[in-house]
Amino acid sequence: MDVTIVEVSPRDGLQNEPVVLPTEAKVELIGRLVAAGARRVEAVSFAHPKLVPAMADAEAVMERVPRPDGVSYAGLVLNRRGLDRALGSGVDEVNVVVCVSETFNRRNQNASTSESMQAAAEVIGRARGEGLFTTLTLATSFGCPFEGEVDPGRVVELAARGAAAGAHELCLADTIGAGVPSQVRDLVARARDAVGAEPPLRFHFHNTRNTGFANAVTAVELGARVLDASAGGIGGCPFAPRATGNIATDDLVFLLERMGLDTGYDLEALLPTAAFLSERLGHEVPALLPRAGTFP
Ligand code: ZN
C-alpha cells in the first residue's frame, strides 16, 4: 500500500453530526468500510460520555465490529481513564490527543497543554506495554479558533516529546481546517529536524475551507504515508457550524489512485456508503465523487 487511509468517519465524522446514530448503524458503517478495503479504522472515542454523548456506546460498537485479518481498530483516548476503557474494549490502537493551543486544550481537556502532554506520555507508555499501536495526535497544529495562529515551533516541540514517549506515529491535525500547503511543508521540515524520520508522520485534514485535499497531496509528495479521511466527508467543525468535515475518503481515494498510488480501497465498493450515510444522517454528504461518478 502506498498510502494508508485511516478511516475516521465512525469517530470524527459521527461525533460532529447533529444526528446520533444507533450502535447498529455505526457497526454497519464500519462493516461497509472494511468491506471496501479500509484497513485502519478509528472506530470509537473513549472521551467522557458527558463530553461526547455520540460516542457513549464505544464498548458496544467494538463488541460487534467485524474482525477480518489485517484490520486494525483505533479508539481515541484523552486520559488514563480513557485508556482503561480502551484496554477493555479490544481496540488494536489508541490515538492519544493533545491540543497544541493552550486555550483549546484547556476548553477541551480542562488542563494545560503541558499537563495533557505529560498524561499522554504515560498513556502511550502503558498502551505500548499492553501491545497496542500508539499515535500521538497534535490537535490545532495549523490554527486555533481561539488563539489564531499556532506556533509551529510548539508543534514540533510536542512532537519530539511524543517521540521520546515512544509513540509509534505522530499525527499533525488541522482540527479546524485552516491549514494550507506551505504550512504542511514547513511543519514537515521542522519535524524532520526535530524528530528525524521515525516515528513517521500522519496527517489529519479537515476540508472546512476547501484546502484539505491540497494539504493531503502536499503531505504525500513530502513522503507522508498515512492520511486520515472520512467516508462521504461527513462530520463538521464545532467552531464553524455550517462547515464540512474531514477530507472525504471517496474523493481522496479517487485522487490518489489516479495519481498511481495504491490505497487498498475498492472505490466501487465504497461509493454506496455515501448514500447509506445520507439516508441515516438525513442530509446529503459533502463528498463530490458519489455525485460525479468515477473516471474513466
Ligand atoms: Zn478532526
Side-chain angles (χ1 to χ4, degrees), residues 239-261:
F239 306 97
R242 285 176 298 148
T244 58
N246 301 94
I247 56 172
T249 308
D250 327 38
D251 298 350
L252 183 65
V253 168
F254 176 79
L255 170 60
L256 295 176
E257 295 273 345
R258 197 153 155 72
M259 288 172 72
L261 299 167

Side-chain angles (χ1 to χ4, degrees), residues 186-272:
D186 178 52
L187 279 175
V188 167
R190 286 172 185 263
R192 288 219 173 108
D193 275 353
V195 183
E198 291 292 327
L201 294 178
R202 158 179 163 187
F203 287 88
H204 178 98
F205 295 120
H206 281 249
N207 205 33
T208 319
R209 294 170 180 83
N210 226 0
T211 59
F213 292 95
N215 292 338
V217 169
T218 303
V220 168
E221 287 180 345
L222 293 167
R225 289 297 169 257
V226 185
L227 295 175
D228 291 4
S230 158
I234 63 164
C237 177
F239 306 97
R242 285 176 298 148
T244 58
N246 301 94
I247 56 172
T249 308
D250 327 38
D251 298 350
L252 183 65
V253 168
F254 176 79
L255 170 60
L256 295 176
E257 295 273 345
R258 197 153 155 72
M259 288 172 72
L261 299 167
D262 177 28
T263 64
Y265 272 79
D266 173 354
L267 259 189
E268 296 300 332
L270 178 66
L271 277 176

Side-chain angles (χ1 to χ4, degrees), residues 8 11-13 16 42 173-176 204-206 228 236 245-246:
V8 299
R11 203 281 302 165
D12 206 8
N16 289 302
E42 194 163 291
D174 187 7
T175 310
I176 59 164
H204 178 98
F205 295 120
H206 281 249
D228 291 4
N246 301 94

Side-chain angles (χ1 to χ4, degrees), residues 10-289:
R11 203 281 302 165
D12 206 8
L14 293 183
Q15 173 178 329
N16 289 302
E17 287 285 342
V19 171
V20 176
L21 293 192
T23 307
E24 146 274 313
K26 294 177 180 175
V27 172
E28 178 171 352
L29 169 61
I30 293 167
R32 284 169 174 268
L33 297 168
V34 168
R39 288 299 168 263
R40 289 181 70 185
V41 180
E42 194 163 291
V44 292
S45 167
F46 298 103
H48 197 288
K50 270 189 190 142
L51 291 177
V52 189
M55 297 285 117
D57 60 349
E59 284 85 352
V61 170
M62 281 309 302
E63 255 172 43
R64 292 165 65 179
V65 293
R67 281 294 192 170
D69 283 347
V71 173
S72 180
Y73 289 110
L76 187 141
V77 168
L78 294 175
N79 51 35
R80 300 172 191 90
R81 194 177 310 167
L83 177 64
D84 289 336
R85 286 179 64 199
L87 289 173
S89 75
V91 293
D92 309 289
E93 313 181 13
V94 288
N95 184 6
V96 187
V97 180
V98 173
C99 308
V100 181
S101 150
E102 205 61 55
T103 312
F104 197 98
N105 198 75
R106 175 83 46 201
R107 293 210 184 195
N108 212 39
Q109 308 203 17
N110 198 26
S112 72
T113 297
S114 294
E115 287 164 348
S116 288
M117 187 60 230
Q118 199 172 335
E122 279 174 43
V123 166
I124 288 165
R126 233 180 98 207
R128 270 191 76 120
E130 297 285 343
L132 299 187
F133 185 88
T134 57
T135 304
L136 174 69
T137 287
L138 296 173
T140 63
S141 284
F142 294 79
C144 168
F146 309 114
E147 295 185 9
E149 299 292 358
V150 167
D151 174 11
R154 183 72 174 137
V155 177
V156 294
E157 185 190 319
L158 291 165
R161 286 183 65 184
H168 293 101
E169 177 180 79
L170 299 169
C171 179
L172 304 185
D174 187 7
T175 310
I176 59 164
V180 291
S182 51
Q183 278 181 293
V184 177
R185 236 172 259 124
D186 178 52
L187 279 175
V188 167
R190 286 172 185 263
R192 288 219 173 108
D193 275 353
V195 183
E198 291 292 327
L201 294 178
R202 158 179 163 187
F203 287 88
H204 178 98
F205 295 120
H206 281 249
N207 205 33
T208 319
R209 294 170 180 83
N210 226 0
T211 59
F213 292 95
N215 292 338
V217 169
T218 303
V220 168
E221 287 180 345
L222 293 167
R225 289 297 169 257
V226 185
L227 295 175
D228 291 4
S230 158
I234 63 164
C237 177
F239 306 97
R242 285 176 298 148
T244 58
N246 301 94
I247 56 172
T249 308
D250 327 38
D251 298 350
L252 183 65
V253 168
F254 176 79
L255 170 60
L256 295 176
E257 295 273 345
R258 197 153 155 72
M259 288 172 72
L261 299 167
D262 177 28
T263 64
Y265 272 79
D266 173 354
L267 259 189
E268 296 300 332
L270 178 66
L271 277 176
T273 306
F276 165 78
L277 284 167
S278 296
E279 195 203 315
R280 299 305 296 248
L281 296 172
H283 63 78
E284 212 179 337
V285 298
L288 295 175
L289 197 77

